[in-house]
Amino acid sequence: MKPGARRLAQLLFCTIACTTNAATLAGEEDAITRFVSYYQKAYAEGRDLIPAPQKPLDVSSIAERLSLQTITPDGALSGSAFLASDGTIIKLAGVQGCFSTEEMEFAGVQTTCSMVSLAGLTAMLEEAEAGAGNAFPCHFLGQNPGSPTVRFAECFFVEDGETRSLSEVLITKGVAFAARDRTGRALFPEYEQAETRAQKARAGIWANAQFLHPYGERYRANPSVN
């Protein structure tokens, strides 16, 4: 097993255990841990509690007027969102985690597609933080008001001297997918290309032929099977 897959498998064991026991441990956890566990448990059950953007995102701003703010994450909430230390939720705009709760094998672990995405983001946050002193820059594309505030962003980190998109790396590793609009068009064409390469390479979840990925959701390859 490759080191990256082994690390992700270890995180899967931890994430599954922590999510399953979240309700039992709630009395012993602090507020942040309870908040993270609540979102993770819902996501593990196939429910993403983070709402979609209320207004169209300004995706062109990345190329036209890039403005980076340093963010420190407190924990992954889903396959594509995390809690920041300022109490806001950061939703990666260009990527979508898997929602399927169908059982599958991944890196020798019996798990679900949603858990693979959750563990994948957890691993990438740790990797990105380690290379940036527990923080990394994000460019914000929009936000939803309310409590907690949800901010939509693309975040970056440095790997081997090269600036990488957190979203694109998740897609390349096959633990998440290119986010698409209601017409099925990818918000960022380059991420759709990364997804195609991951699919051809059978990376991550793509190694399992049981699922298809139309428009950002996961379905079984045979739609007649319930």
Side-chain angles (χ1 to χ4, degrees):
M1 186 185 299
K2 295 180 180 179
R6 185 181 300 111
R7 172 60 178 152
L8 189 52
Q10 292 170 346
L11 276 168
L12 275 169
F13 279 121
C14 176
T15 306
I16 291 169
C18 292
T19 303
T20 303
N21 297 324
T24 303
L25 298 175
E28 304 173 7
E29 296 169 335
D30 59 28
I32 292 176
T33 305
R34 287 198 301 271
F35 182 90
V36 171
S37 295
Y38 176 73
Y39 275 79
Q40 287 186 351
K41 185 175 185 296
Y43 192 76
E45 296 170 349
R47 298 180 295 118
D48 191 347
L49 301 181
I50 300 167
Q54 295 178 1
K55 297 180 179 180
L57 299 178
D58 186 10
V59 295
S60 64
S61 63
I62 289 183
E64 297 173 356
R65 49 187 183 280
L66 184 66
S67 177
L68 298 175
Q69 300 178 34
T70 300
I71 296 297
T72 302
D74 273 338
L77 302 177
S78 70
S80 58
F82 60 90
L83 179 67
S85 60
D86 63 0
T88 61
I89 292 175
I90 309 299
K91 172 70 171 68
L92 298 173
V95 68
Q96 180 184 300
C98 186
F99 293 144
S100 173
T101 58
E102 294 288 337
E103 286 194 4
M104 63 179 289
E105 183 176 314
F106 182 89
V109 179
Q110 198 67 23
T111 182
T112 66
C113 192
S114 61
M115 294 303 295
V116 170
S117 284
L118 181 57
L121 180 56
T122 299
M124 285 311 305
L125 288 177
E126 291 183 1
E127 183 177 330
E129 289 179 56
N134 295 326
F136 46 78
C138 296
H139 174 84
F140 291 94
L141 308 168
Q143 72 176 50
N144 289 349
S147 180
T149 299
V150 179
R151 305 179 74 189
F152 301 90
E154 282 300 285
C155 299
F156 306 90
F157 67 104
V158 177
E159 183 180 56
D160 298 328
E162 178 183 358
T163 300
R164 305 288 306 276
S165 158
L166 185 57
S167 294
E168 187 169 12
V169 172
L170 290 168
I171 295 167
T172 299
K173 289 180 177 293
V175 296
F177 315 101
R180 301 170 187 271
D181 60 24
R182 293 180 179 179
T183 69
R185 179 182 301 176
L187 296 183
F188 297 93
E190 59 270 31
Y191 294 172
E192 183 177 25
Q193 296 168 10
E195 182 182 285
T196 298
R197 292 193 297 271
Q199 185 176 14
K200 289 181 178 178
R202 300 182 64 80
I205 296 167
W206 294 113
N208 189 306
Q210 187 178 9
F211 298 100
L212 295 176
H213 168 52
Y215 309 128
E217 301 232 2
R218 299 293 288 188
Y219 299 92
R220 280 178 284 188
N222 184 355
S224 67
V225 179
N226 296 315

